[in-house]
């Protein structure tokens, strides 16, 4: 594998390169002698359509850049471009990259390979004045044998990235349907990312240039090529099949090739057998193998894998492989169902759509990526979707998902458009791209679903295309066959919205669900829709915290109606509304206030209620979807992380700081959870969910409150929550009498204005909690609720915050600059306390305030040398809270 060329030229046209120069089989396991070419790069712009051999005036105009990065990121590193500045037409110019380097010293018989893991998008590459190859697919990697072309010193590598705009302007057949999110419909002809080219929701930083590593590698006769591993389970035995090629291992040159697996100090070894000239294969079996689970359902057990290669002359080479996980993934899609089972256990998949951590470079460090994946896992998410609107992620993303136990819904990079799959060159390019990605990802235990595209069928149907045009043989057959051949352990699904009478039907197969969201349906539509599986859902313009608003153009002075704010509010191009309007609709629904009047009179309170509104809507939807009687098998929030500072779809901002809705999801998605749903005349239902691998003895408590601090009902129940089970109870099961807790019968005034259900372990430790407000979130008067707080420094980067309240406190928000709370925007029952861990910079002193939306007074927070002690009138016996005022 390796090279894809101009769309209208045969694949054998390689600017003078021969088949011996360009590698068609790519090695996705890094060899021991690979050097990343990261230094001594230069960049310059040139008018579109210039000569291919060299830029105009090749001796001047070059800008030194820190590394081989896309143009936007490289100029940002130089301080010459910013997302906060005027847009730059990166696609309107040619961009040249130059690298001057010395060749590595090769040993006798070694091959020197120059590799390019990704060039965006129309690229032509020359080395020392000689053409190497051209590429028109940013998702295809390339390898070239350059040993005969290198000089000992003073080599010059040139990469010309041709302007995309002139190519978009060329006359081509019109699409059968339009895609409103893209500004230019002919993007469908080019294998490039939509990021940066969808003005309604992505920053104007289109990928141009090297967006993945450029490297040199010395390869000796022990070099491994075309490696394939397949892990599966037979009964209780884990099996790894391994096959590889070693082109230099002819004759009697090899002594042995051994596959090693290690876990917990136990090593399993299998010597591979020669099966053809230069080919080795074998099967390693692990008795009583530890299984890989999504972290919500068990431990994601991994085995470290390596190849040990020994030549006949005694020389050895060791190749580290991606970790092996033994698991099975099955998909039940019969009759409109969409249920994933891991190791035979049904899994409710919940999570978010992943976006690159840096919109300009499309890169991240391994640690930053792991932290972001861990943050998703900490919120109870067990699946991340790499959508066809973005890019294939780096290996360390899949490393982190393997390690931390998050499933991956992996799409091929096609989205919404009418792709010309009938064009032979386009189809060949797309097939090569798919083969490379499958070779790279097929053995990942985190890989749960391979999906052909994002919303292609849906867009065709919604635009009014005839039914016969909704489906494409490329997605229904070609990609399905490739996945079955190269990644048989992961089920294939043709499109993110697929199934039912029309592709986006909510109660059959998978869909993009925006009933609660863009379509402004009431919250109960989450149930009424009969949703089966949402590959994306719950899209709102989620307002970030103050620090993110400070990073917007204009800073905190920028109001929600300002053009600088609106420029970053997600929208569909041509629509008369945006996702700020969607958020405001649910703010009005939940709090009973007019958003326009509120932001006119009190913009800060408008922001506070707006932050809570999207979190409350998300939590309510997931409570419906996770209850045992629900037909829903999974739901993925549209974005995990914003691409730039602003009110984006992400549940964390572009820096990784959680928004209010992240904390709501963290409480709603935990593996051991208690949830409440309003069943109308059937009262309130409480749902106890235990997805963990252990039975749990639990104590369930219900308290109903009136007037902020008057306890009107209380009940308890002991129960055994069996492993990986869920059960539903009526709240009245916990009480000795009937009470209209949902206010369905409306005989007289509200019997209570808050219902609190708490799940504890036998020692009284709180595990989960849920609130219901029969009169609505806005029913509580704004009075002094007796909010108090103190903080104690517990470590160099940590502090413990204690919050207490006399009366019901809603939407408790912690505002301590420089510190991130582990929980935020929560409700606090009368007389209750909350202990919240704060994490911040080393040596920082936590100082700030704690607010509640129904409190007329906030409380200041400053470090204290001792723990918080309640006032004498509030002191209660150890382990208890002050006795509430009873009705």
């Amino acid at each position: 594998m390796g090279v894809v060329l101009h769309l209208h030229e045969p694949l054998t046209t390689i600017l003078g390169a021969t088949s011996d120069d360009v590698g068609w089989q790519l090695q996705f396991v890094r060899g021991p002698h690979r050097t990343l070419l990261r230094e001594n790069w230069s960049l310059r712009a040139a008018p579109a359509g210039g000569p291919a051999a060299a830029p105009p005036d090749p001796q001047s105009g070059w800008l030194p850049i820190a590394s081989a990065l896309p143009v936007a990121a490289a100029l940002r590193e130089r301080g010459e471009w910013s997302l906060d500045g005027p847009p730059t037409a990166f696609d309107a110019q040619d961009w040249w990259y130059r690298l001057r380097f010395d060749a590595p010293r090769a040993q006798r018989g070694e091959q020197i390979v120059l590799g390019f893991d990704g060039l965006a998008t129309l690229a032509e590459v020359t080395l020392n004045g000689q053409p190497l190859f051209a590429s028109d697919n940013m998702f295809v990697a390339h390898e070239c044998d350059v040993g005969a072309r290198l000089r000992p010193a003073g080599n010059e590598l040139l990469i010309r990235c041709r302007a995309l705009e002139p190519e978009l302007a060329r006359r081509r057949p019109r699409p059968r349907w339009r895609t409103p999110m893209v500004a230019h419909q002919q993007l469908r002809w080019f294998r490039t990312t939509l990021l940066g080219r969808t003005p309604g929701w992505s920053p104007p930083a289109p990928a141009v240039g090297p967006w993945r590593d450029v490297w040199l590698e010395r390869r000796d006769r022990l070099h491994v090529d075309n490696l394939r591993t397949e892990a599966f389970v037979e009964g209780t035995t884990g099996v790894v099949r391994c096959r590889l090629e070693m082109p230099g291992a002819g004759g009697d040159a090899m002594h042995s090739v051994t596959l090693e697996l290690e876990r917990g100090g136990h090593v399993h070894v299998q010597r591979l057998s020669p099966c053809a000239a230069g080919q080795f294969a074998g099967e390693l079996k692990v008795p009583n193998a530890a299984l890989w689970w999504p972290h919500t359902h068990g431990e994601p057990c991994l085995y470290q894998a390596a190849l040990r290669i020994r030549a006949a002359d005694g020389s050895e080479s060791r190749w580290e492989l991606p970790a092996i996980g033994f698991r099975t993934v099955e998909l039940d899609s019969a009759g409109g169902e969409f249920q994933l089972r891991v190791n035979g256990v049904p899994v409710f998949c919940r999570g978010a759509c992943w976006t690159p951590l840096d919109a300009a470079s499309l890169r991240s460090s391994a640690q930053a990526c792991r932290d972001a994946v861990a943050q998703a896992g900490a919120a109870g998410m067990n699946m991340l979707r790499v959508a066809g609107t973005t890019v294939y992620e780096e290996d360390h993303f899949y490393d982190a998902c393997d390690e931390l136990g998050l499933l991956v819904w992996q799409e091929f990079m096609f989205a919404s458009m009418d792709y010309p799959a009938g064009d032979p060159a386009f189809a060949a390019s797309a097939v090569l791209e798919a083969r490379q990605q499958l070779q790279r990802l097929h053995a990942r235990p985190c890989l749960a679903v391979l999906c052909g595209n994002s919303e292609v069928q849906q867009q065709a149907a919604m635009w009014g295309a005839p039914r016969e045009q909704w489906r494409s043989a490329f997605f229904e057959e070609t990609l399905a066959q490739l996945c079955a051949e190269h990644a048989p352990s992961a089920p294939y699904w043709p499109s993110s919205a697929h199934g039912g009478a029309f592709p986006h039907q909510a109660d059959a197969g998978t869909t993009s669900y925006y009933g609660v969201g863009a379509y402004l349906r009431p919250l109960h539509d989450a149930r009424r829709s009969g949703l089966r599986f949402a590959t994306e859902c719950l899209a709102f313009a989620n307002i970030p915290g103050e620090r993110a608003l400070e990073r917007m153009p204009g800073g905190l002075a920028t109001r929600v109606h300002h053009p600088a704010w609106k420029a970053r509010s997600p929208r569909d191009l041509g629509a008369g509304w945006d996702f700020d309007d969607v958020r405001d609709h649910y703010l009005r629904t939940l709090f009973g206030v007019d958003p326009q009047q509120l932001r006119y009179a009190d913009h800060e309170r408008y922001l506070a209620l707006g932050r809570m509104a999207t979190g409350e809507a998300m939590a309510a939807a997931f409570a419906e979807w996770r209850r045992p009687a629900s037909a829903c098998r999974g739901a993925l929030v549209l974005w995990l992380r914003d691409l730039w500072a602003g009110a984006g779809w992400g549940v964390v901002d572009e820096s990784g700081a959680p928004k209010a809705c992240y904390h709501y999801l963290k409480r709603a998605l935990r593996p051991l959870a208690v949830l409440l749903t309003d069943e109308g005349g059937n009262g309130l239902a409480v749902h106890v969910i235990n997805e963990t691998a252990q039975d749990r003895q639990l104590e369930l408590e219900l308290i109903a409150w009136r007037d902020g601090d008057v306890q009107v009902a209380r009940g308890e129940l002991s129960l055994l929550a069996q492993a990986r089970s869920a059960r539903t109870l009526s709240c009245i099961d916990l009480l000795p009498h009937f009470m209209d807790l949902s206010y369905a019968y409306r005989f007289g005034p509200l019997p209570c204005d808050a219902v609190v259900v708490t799940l504890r372990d036998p020692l009284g430790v709180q595990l989960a909690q849920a609130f219901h407000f029969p009169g609505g979130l806005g029913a509580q008067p704004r009075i002094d609720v007796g909010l108090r707080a103190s903080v104690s420094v517990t470590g160099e980067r940590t502090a413990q915050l204690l919050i207490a309240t006399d009366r019901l406190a809603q939407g408790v928000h912690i505002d301590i600059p420089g510190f991130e709370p582990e929980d935020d925007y929560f409700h606090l029952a009368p007389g209750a306390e909350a202990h919240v861990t704060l994490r911040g910079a080393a040596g920082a002193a936590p100082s700030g305030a704690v607010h509640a939306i129904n409190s007329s007074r906030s409380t200041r927070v400053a470090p204290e040398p001792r723990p918080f002690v309640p006032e004498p009138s509030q002191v209660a016996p150890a382990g208890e809270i002050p006795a509430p005022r009873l009705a």
Side-chain angles (χ1 to χ4, degrees), residues 754-787:
V755 178
V756 185
V757 174
T758 306
L759 199 63
R760 295 187 176 91
D761 70 10
L763 299 178
V765 176
Q766 180 174 307
L767 303 173
Q769 194 171 60
F771 285 73
H772 178 74
F773 301 102
L777 280 162
Q780 295 296 312
R782 291 186 71 185
I783 60 175
D784 185 351
V785 301
L787 200 63

Side-chain angles (χ1 to χ4, degrees), residues 52-413:
D57 191 8
Q59 302 307 315
S60 65
W62 291 97
L63 304 174
I65 56 176
S67 184
L69 293 169
V71 175
L75 294 180
R76 182 186 60 189
E77 294 297 307
R78 289 180 52 84
E80 298 182 15
W81 175 84
S82 168
L83 285 174
D84 297 334
T88 299
F90 294 110
D91 281 335
Q93 303 178 83
D94 287 359
W95 295 91
W96 288 81
Y97 289 79
R98 183 180 69 189
L99 172 68
R100 289 175 171 166
F101 65 100
D102 296 337
R105 182 172 298 176
Q107 304 297 320
R108 184 179 180 84
E110 284 187 331
Q111 180 188 36
I112 299 182
V113 174
L114 179 61
F116 304 82
D117 289 343
L119 299 174
T121 292
L122 305 177
E124 298 164 356
V125 182
T126 62
L127 177 63
N128 295 331
Q130 300 180 32
L132 281 185
F133 65 89
S135 173
D136 57 18
N137 187 331
M138 73 173 280
F139 303 120
V140 166
H142 311 267
E143 292 183 359
C144 308
D145 182 352
V146 295
R149 301 180 183 226
L150 289 177
R151 307 165 184 158
N155 294 282
E156 183 179 73
L157 175 68
L158 288 176
I159 304 172
R160 178 199 184 196
C161 298
R162 292 192 292 114
L164 189 59
E165 281 190 6
E167 293 297 319
L168 291 172
R170 286 179 53 190
R171 189 174 182 84
R172 291 184 174 89
R174 298 177 62 183
R176 294 170 295 176
W177 63 84
R178 290 183 63 82
T179 305
M181 70 175 173
V182 298
H184 204 300
Q185 298 301 308
Q186 298 297 9
L187 270 173
R188 68 197 187 100
W189 286 90
F190 297 91
R191 298 302 302 131
T192 193
T193 180
L194 296 188
L195 290 173
R197 300 181 175 98
T198 47
W201 54 264
S202 66
V208 179
W211 70 288
R212 288 292 184 257
D213 289 332
V214 180
W215 46 267
L216 274 174
E217 185 172 87
R218 294 172 22 235
R219 294 180 176 175
D220 58 19
R221 59 179 178 169
L222 302 186
H223 177 75
V224 174
D225 200 7
N226 202 23
L227 171 69
R228 177 176 178 81
T229 59
E230 180 184 356
F232 56 96
V233 181
E234 291 181 343
T236 61
T237 300
V239 182
V240 180
R241 286 180 183 155
C242 181
R243 187 181 184 90
L244 58 89
E245 296 178 7
M246 297 182 66
D252 299 324
M254 297 307 302
H255 177 270
S256 62
V257 179
T258 304
L259 175 65
E260 299 178 354
L261 294 187
E262 185 275 331
R263 174 175 167 79
H266 298 283
V267 180
H268 306 268
V269 178
Q270 176 64 51
R271 184 167 175 171
L272 306 185
S273 302
C275 54
Q279 296 183 11
F280 296 82
E283 190 173 271
L284 187 156
K285 295 188 176 183
V286 180
N288 300 313
L291 299 182
W292 186 96
W293 290 92
H295 75 99
T296 49
H297 288 65
E299 182 182 356
C301 296
L302 292 175
Y303 290 77
Q304 301 308 308
L307 285 172
R308 188 178 298 278
I309 302 167
R310 187 178 179 187
D313 62 5
S315 59
E316 286 193 357
S317 176
R318 179 179 172 85
W319 291 64
E320 299 293 337
L321 307 182
I324 295 291
F326 296 109
R327 58 94 180 104
T328 61
V329 178
E330 302 164 286
L331 172 61
D332 178 5
S333 59
E337 179 63 271
F338 194 91
Q339 174 70 74
L340 283 174
R341 291 185 174 86
V342 179
N343 301 326
V345 175
V347 172
F348 181 85
C349 302
R350 69 286 194 156
C353 299
W354 178 266
T355 52
L357 302 191
D358 179 10
S361 70
L362 305 179
R363 304 296 302 268
S364 66
S365 70
Q367 186 60 54
C369 183
R370 186 188 184 282
D371 290 346
V373 173
Q375 184 180 48
M381 300 180 183
N382 60 16
M383 176 175 275
L384 294 172
R385 173 186 171 211
V386 181
T389 52
T390 59
V391 295
Y392 301 103
E393 262 299 339
E394 297 176 87
D395 287 344
H396 54 238
F397 167 77
Y398 303 97
D399 290 339
C401 292
D402 287 344
E403 175 195 352
L404 299 173
L406 276 86
L407 301 166
V408 174
W409 177 292
Q410 177 66 57
E411 289 174 10
F412 295 94
M413 295 300 120

